[in-house]
Amino acid sequence: RAEVISLPIAMLILLAVFLLPFLALLGIGFLIDSPILLGVLGFFTGLTLAMWIFGRRAERAVYGQLEGQMGAAAAALNVLKRGWTVTPAVAFTKQQDLAHRVVGRAGVVLVGEGSSPSRIQHLLVQEKRKVQRVAPDVAVHEIVAGNGEGQVPLRKLSRAVTKLPKSLTPAQVNELNHRLRALQAQQGQLPIPK
């Protein structure tokens, strides 16, 4: 779970992170007779550090809320940058195990999530067969999202996907996306689980 710190303490931490570089650079500025230049530099350095820490804390809080929710892996994958196409819930089981498909320069990445690792593996193997029927020469990677052994935690999921070795050109990625959309159109719309 995400670390919980009360709001006043968090605000004090952010204020300290802002003030420390500002006051340090302002003090150095007075020592070398350039307080305005170094004061402005310290202000923006402190502001940048405080915003970075605030962003990291907010990200940790979001992942903490997503933990254990159905579709959490798809939400974590939506932060991937340009060049990646995320298709959530391309396959699922009655027990609400999900498989998501991510297409990028690394090929096809199938991300599974759910309560049973064996069902998830079976689901990913089925989806891998479908993808390899349409694109046999493309690398297909399998990742299971979760906190168990051999699983990737949500906060590290997008990093794990982007670190996979690149094997396709952007034109090949575009062609692969078109093929996979055609495959999905053949399968029809997925029913909404009850």
Side-chain angles (χ1 to χ4, degrees), residues 77-158:
L77 290 169
N78 280 331
V79 300
L80 289 172
K81 305 277 191 248
R82 186 178 63 174
W84 294 94
T85 304
V86 179
T87 308
V90 292
F92 60 90
T93 63
K94 289 181 181 178
Q95 293 80 17
Q96 297 184 348
D97 300 318
L98 296 171
H100 312 290
R101 185 175 55 227
V102 183
V103 180
R105 300 272 317 265
V108 177
V109 183
L110 298 173
V111 179
E113 66 174 314
S115 57
S116 170
S118 62
R119 280 194 316 253
I120 295 169
Q121 274 303 23
H122 182 67
L123 190 64
L124 291 178
V125 167
Q126 285 179 333
E127 193 60 30
K128 184 176 184 176
R129 277 193 219 123
K130 291 177 188 175
V131 169
Q132 286 179 332
R133 238 181 278 137
V134 175
D137 54 340
V138 174
V140 180
H141 307 278
E142 298 175 7
I143 296 176
V144 178
N147 292 324
E149 185 178 326
Q151 298 179 340
V152 179
L154 280 181
R155 68 183 184 282
K156 295 181 180 179
L157 186 58
S158 62

Side-chain angles (χ1 to χ4, degrees), residues 9-25 41-55 57:
I9 294 173
M11 294 302 288
L12 287 175
I13 291 171
L14 287 176
L15 185 64
V17 166
F18 168 73
L19 286 177
L20 193 66
F22 173 64
L23 293 176
L25 285 174
L41 179 66
F43 175 81
F44 286 113
T45 302
L47 186 64
T48 302
L49 285 173
M51 294 299 284
W52 181 74
I53 288 178
F54 178 74
R57 292 182 56 76

